[in-house]
Amino acid sequence: MNAEDPPQGPRSLVTGATGYIGGRLVPELLTAGHRVRCLARSPGKLRDQPWAGEVEVVRGDVTDQASVAAAMEGVDVAYYLVHALASGRGFEDTDRRAARIFATAARTAGVRRVVYLGGLTPAGIPESELSPHLRSRTEVGRILLDSGVPTAVLRAAVIIGSGSASFEMLRYLTERLPVMVTPSWVHTRIQPIAVRDVLRTLVGCAELPAEVSRVFDIGGPEVLTYRDMMLRYARVAGLGRRIVVPVPLFTPGLSSHWVGLVTPVPASIARPLAESLRHEVVCHEHDIARYVPDPPGHPLGFDEAVRLALLRVRDAQVTTRWSNAAVPGAPSDPLPTDPDWAGGSLYTDRRELAVPASAEALWRVIEGIGGENGWYSFPLAWAARGWLDRLVGGVGLRRGRRDAHRLRVGDSLDFWRVEEIEPGRLLRLRAEMRLPGLAWLEMYAEPDGEGRSRYRQRALFHPRGLFGHAYWWGVSPFHAVVFGGMARNIARAAAAHRVPSPPAVESAP
């Protein structure tokens, strides 16, 4: 190595990089100077990650001894972040076999540290009485500790962050049900933890002294019941007061079906989570702080963790949250690999049309929308919506637009605000009318070859509470007229060149 070259950081293997924690851990390790290798059954799932070009991705499966052994070559720290939670019957056998393969491969390869994230278990309850989910996670931790490789087993309860299955279940239950008839486990005491603190601790464990090989409990600063968490989530999210009525007749099986009816979280995940919630999960110690000190303000409290999890939606970063077009920038942000049911509800109305005109002509129509030019569909409906908005204290349609031909980010546009503009391609508007949720309207102009173009339009609505869902379904029958007519008329206007070109801007002499 050249004397001027910076020292290379540890080589870290991350399993589960396509999962919730693994996908967020990789960029944190890169920031900390690690050289990262990811073991993935489907490497293609990682290609859209912003860090894909900075890591080594190898194809393999934790139940395949040969691929795990190959992935372990030259590794200093191995992160075990996989489990067979949604694999149905036999998942305990699968977890057991995979952990043994991983432990053996780590010992054979001379790995100096294994780090595993498991589940927090209640004190004083025999392992045989734990839920299958917690029992399996406990067994995996024990197998890794017995590997002969120094191992840190971190045990966490509910992780607060957009995309976490536990958090998504909490989100949907609270947002969709102002009055809840719930299982008795809503009175179970839980010590939740922010995903940022989980990731900070996982990274710090890479530097634990070699003699440290043990279990650590990790949690936030508060112990809450599940009911407390629902009520506080509602307050942070700006929802109305929630009424929670526990019913002791709900079995774990019935609980999972209830969760499945109310939320999009799959039953295969909801059931083990619901079963685990019958146990109190509170930290017995905070010894990890001796080795990975808490920075000022950490661990984060529940309300702050929820606020960060909701931040992207509040800031209206639609493409960051619901598509792969933008790059997530914080542990609380969603990732391309997050499941479709994560992140809260988002209703979408999509329209797409071929336009017999150039993309430039189509863009002139898009950029000229609103104000004197109107909204290209059912003027009476738009006017009625504006009057209604004024009636309830909103801005209505009275604001018009700053310039008849050009728009810029931040401009008001009737009862919309220009949130994003890519000249010639994209206009994104955020609704500022009074709504039970957040709404956006996106319009795209795309070249389609031979002087033609394609118009794409998306209306998006993120409901707030049950009334938000009712609002969307109440107005959706009119979308074909309003949004469908809008798309057709914009395409016709572009084809007919009915919108004048903006005046030329003279260059300075």
Side-chain angles (χ1 to χ4, degrees):
M1 181 187 297
N2 189 298
E4 297 181 358
D5 290 339
Q8 290 188 318
R11 167 80 70 182
S12 294
L13 173 68
V14 176
T15 61
T18 59
Y20 174 65
I21 292 295
R24 288 158 173 78
L25 176 63
V26 170
E28 300 295 313
L29 291 173
L30 290 171
T31 299
H34 291 235
R35 294 167 294 152
V36 179
R37 177 183 295 160
C38 299
L39 176 68
R41 283 185 298 179
S42 304
K45 290 183 178 180
L46 299 177
R47 67 172 177 267
D48 290 329
Q49 296 282 15
W51 40 259
E54 302 177 58
V55 304
E56 178 188 358
V57 180
V58 296
R59 184 184 299 274
D61 190 294
V62 289
T63 60
D64 177 60
Q65 188 170 352
S67 63
V68 175
M72 287 283 187
E73 292 182 7
V75 165
D76 301 303
V77 183
Y79 287 90
Y80 192 77
L81 303 173
V82 295
H83 57 91
L85 177 63
S87 299
R89 294 185 179 183
F91 80 89
E92 290 180 271
D93 290 336
T94 303
D95 274 344
R96 185 180 304 114
R97 184 170 75 256
R100 287 172 175 165
I101 289 171
F102 192 87
T104 300
R107 182 176 63 249
T108 302
V111 172
R112 65 172 176 81
R113 165 70 55 189
V114 168
V115 183
Y116 168 59
L117 179 62
L120 194 57
T121 56
I125 295 181
E127 193 171 312
S128 60
E129 295 181 18
L130 295 176
S131 71
H133 167 52
L134 287 180
R135 187 168 61 237
S136 180
R137 290 200 159 194
T138 300
E139 183 182 17
V140 167
R142 187 166 56 248
I143 290 170
L144 297 175
L145 284 167
D146 291 343
S147 66
V149 178
T151 297
V153 174
L154 304 181
R155 305 193 308 178
V158 171
I159 296 175
I160 305 298
S162 182
S164 159
S166 297
F167 177 75
E168 295 300 337
M169 192 169 86
L170 173 70
R171 182 209 299 263
Y172 284 113
L173 289 175
T174 309
E175 290 191 349
R176 295 188 173 185
L177 296 176
V179 179
M180 290 175 267
V181 178
T182 61
S184 58
W185 47 249
V186 296
H187 289 313
T188 300
R189 295 171 73 241
I190 299 166
Q191 192 164 352
I193 182 171
V195 65
R196 296 182 182 221
D197 287 314
V198 173
L199 297 173
R200 174 179 58 80
T201 308
L202 284 168
V203 173
C205 281
E207 303 301 327
L208 290 177
E211 66 271 14
V212 176
S213 187
R214 54 163 289 188
V215 172
F216 293 97
D217 291 351
I218 59 172
E222 300 166 276
V223 176
L224 306 166
T225 66
Y226 203 87
R227 178 180 181 276
D228 292 335
M229 291 197 297
M230 289 192 288
L231 296 179
R232 287 175 62 170
Y233 176 97
R235 186 169 67 244
V236 174
L239 303 173
R241 185 171 179 269
R242 266 42 189 163
I243 299 173
V244 181
V245 183
V247 176
L249 300 178
F250 270 121
T251 64
L254 286 175
S255 293
S256 65
H257 289 303
W258 173 69
V259 171
L261 283 172
V262 175
T263 82
V265 179
S268 59
I269 294 176
R271 183 182 180 99
L273 291 178
E275 288 175 338
S276 300
L277 287 170
R278 72 176 189 261
H279 303 299
E280 181 178 281
V281 279
V282 176
C283 294
H284 315 311
E285 41 81 15
H286 189 50
D287 295 349
I288 190 64
R290 300 208 309 257
Y291 305 99
V292 185
D294 294 324
H298 288 262
L300 295 173
F302 177 81
D303 290 358
E304 177 65 6
V306 170
R307 188 189 68 80
L308 290 169
L310 300 178
L311 188 59
R312 283 292 175 177
V313 173
R314 289 257 178 109
D315 285 350
Q317 300 293 326
V318 181
T319 53
T320 301
R321 180 58 197 88
W322 285 286
S323 80
N324 300 350
V327 176
S332 305
D333 292 345
L335 296 180
T337 50
D338 284 351
D340 292 339
W341 46 262
S345 300
L346 185 76
Y347 293 118
T348 306
D349 181 278
R350 288 184 173 87
R351 310 283 166 171
E352 187 169 334
L353 290 172
V355 181
S358 68
E360 291 78 8
L362 176 57
W363 177 251
R364 287 201 298 271
V365 179
I366 293 172
E367 193 175 14
I369 202 165
E372 296 270 330
N373 291 323
W375 293 88
Y376 291 93
S377 75
F378 205 179
L380 183 60
W382 287 94
R385 187 65 185 86
W387 297 331
L388 179 62
D389 196 53
R390 291 283 300 278
L391 189 64
V392 296
V395 296
L397 289 171
R398 60 186 172 182
R399 296 188 304 185
R401 49 182 293 153
R402 174 190 58 85
D403 184 288
H405 301 287
R406 294 186 178 87
L407 292 173
R408 61 189 180 194
V409 172
D411 277 357
S412 60
L413 183 59
D414 296 332
F415 46 39
W416 302 87
R417 178 78 59 181
V418 178
E419 182 178 273
E420 183 63 48
I421 186 166
E422 296 178 22
R425 178 180 176 270
L426 164 67
L427 173 64
R428 181 186 304 124
L429 307 175
R430 184 182 72 247
E432 293 192 334
M433 64 198 81
R434 294 295 181 93
L435 290 169
L438 300 169
W440 299 265
L441 179 62
E442 294 180 338
M443 291 166 276
Y444 293 83
E446 298 176 344
D448 202 17
E450 300 181 5
R452 297 189 300 264
S453 59
R454 181 160 292 275
Y455 174 67
R456 289 197 297 114
Q457 176 182 296
R458 283 201 313 169
L460 305 108
F461 182 65
H462 179 74
R464 183 182 300 115
L466 188 61
F467 184 55
H469 293 275
Y471 171 83
W472 174 265
W473 291 111
V475 300
S476 60
F478 304 101
H479 286 173
V481 175
V482 176
F483 292 129
M486 180 179 178
R488 290 190 297 272
N489 291 330
I490 284 176
R492 288 180 188 138
H497 301 284
R498 287 205 300 264
V499 174
S501 300
V505 177
E506 296 183 3
S507 301

